Amino acid sequence: MEIYADGADLENIALLSAIPEISGFTTNPTLMRNSGVSDYEAFARKVIQITGTRPISFEVFAEDHIGMIRQARNISSWAPNVFVKVPVIDTWGQSTSPVVKHLTAEGIQVNVTAVMTVSQVEQATAALEGTRGAVVSVFAGRIADTGRDPIPIMASALDVTSAQRNVSLLWASPREILNVRQADDLGVDIITLSHEMLGKLSLFGKPLEQYSLETVRMFHRDAQAAGFTL
């Protein structure tokens, strides 16, 4: 399974780009806004320069389908390794499958994003027929936020995407590092991890007794640093 770094902080992206285990990068308008990005294209071109030839996804933000196609053409022209994120539905809740199909026919690499149902996976994957490279991003973390187990949905999604040539399934918005193992066990192609989540990969296999002791020492150290008395 490949690991993509998800974020919009140029300093962190630069640090992560030096790690060969990170196979690609993703970002979105919300992450970019939260990081203070004001010039979309200038930021994107800096990221492309930093990350080199690894896959990188940038998202369209137009509401109408014609605008999505126009923006997608522009974004895809920035580099051959760019994937264009297209939301699975528009802001009115209508399927963007016609947009995805149109872009795929033009040879543009699409990352269908904000996917949360198997039905959406089926529609997106069908629209990607003939792609030279595409991703379907299922937001497993947000599915879990609703109290639903994302594992059955991801398993069904993988059955759909694996039947379509050159389409990869991406586990998006993980909520805990255990999701990496769950995704890998299922056979998911890609998982995105934030900078914070990537730091937790080193915890895999850590002895629980040792982790318990470190936790107790942390509590003690912080109580002393705070000057607590009873």
Side-chain angles (χ1 to χ4, degrees):
M1 182 179 65
E2 294 184 317
I3 295 176
Y4 283 13
D6 190 35
D9 180 272
L10 284 175
E11 184 177 347
N12 282 338
I13 291 172
L15 290 172
L16 296 173
S17 66
I19 302 174
E21 288 78 15
I22 294 176
S23 302
F25 296 83
T26 61
T27 189
N28 63 55
T30 299
L31 291 173
M32 291 164 67
R33 180 175 181 270
N34 290 342
S35 291
V37 175
S38 57
D39 188 322
Y40 194 115
E41 183 170 346
F43 166 80
R45 289 188 180 278
K46 286 180 183 177
V47 172
I48 292 168
Q49 186 176 17
I50 291 170
T51 58
T53 60
R54 280 173 284 190
I56 173 73
S57 293
F58 298 105
E59 189 165 343
V60 299
F61 48 85
E63 285 191 295
D64 63 291
H65 292 195
I66 293 176
M68 288 182 183
I69 292 171
R70 180 185 62 80
Q71 290 181 352
R73 288 170 176 160
N74 184 20
I75 292 170
S76 68
S77 72
W78 295 341
N81 54 306
V82 167
F83 283 68
V84 179
K85 278 188 173 183
V86 176
V88 69
I89 52 176
D90 59 30
T91 56
W92 293 281
Q94 300 300 309
S95 173
T96 59
S97 288
V99 174
V100 174
K101 188 173 184 178
H102 187 99
L103 296 175
T104 298
E106 290 189 9
I108 293 174
Q109 299 175 118
V110 177
N111 179 338
V112 185
T113 191
V115 179
M116 296 195 200
T117 71
V118 176
S119 176
Q120 289 178 332
V121 174
E122 291 170 344
Q123 291 178 40
T125 304
L128 290 167
E129 184 177 0
T131 182
R132 65 187 180 93
V135 174
V136 175
S137 296
V138 179
F139 279 56
R142 289 189 176 237
I143 293 170
D145 288 345
T146 70
R148 295 175 174 86
D149 182 358
I151 300 295
I153 293 175
M154 295 303 294
S156 296
L158 185 60
D159 287 340
V160 175
T161 58
S162 60
Q164 183 74 275
R165 187 177 179 184
N166 297 330
V167 176
S168 297
L169 178 64
L170 185 149
W171 180 306
S173 69
R175 292 299 189 253
E176 55 187 0
I177 205 64
L178 175 63
N179 296 155
V180 175
R181 179 147 293 162
Q182 292 171 324
D184 194 33
D185 288 345
L186 278 177
V188 172
D189 301 297
I190 306 165
I191 190 168
T192 53
L193 296 178
S194 66
H195 186 264
E196 180 183 4
M197 291 281 282
L198 282 163
K200 292 184 177 182
L201 285 174
S202 61
L203 294 174
F204 273 163
K206 187 181 185 76
L208 295 181
E209 293 82 2
Q210 179 186 344
Y211 206 10
S212 175
L213 178 60
E214 290 175 2
T215 303
V216 170
R217 286 174 174 172
M218 177 187 69
F219 292 155
H220 177 71
R221 181 178 62 250
D222 289 341
Q224 286 189 313
F228 293 151
T229 60
L230 286 175

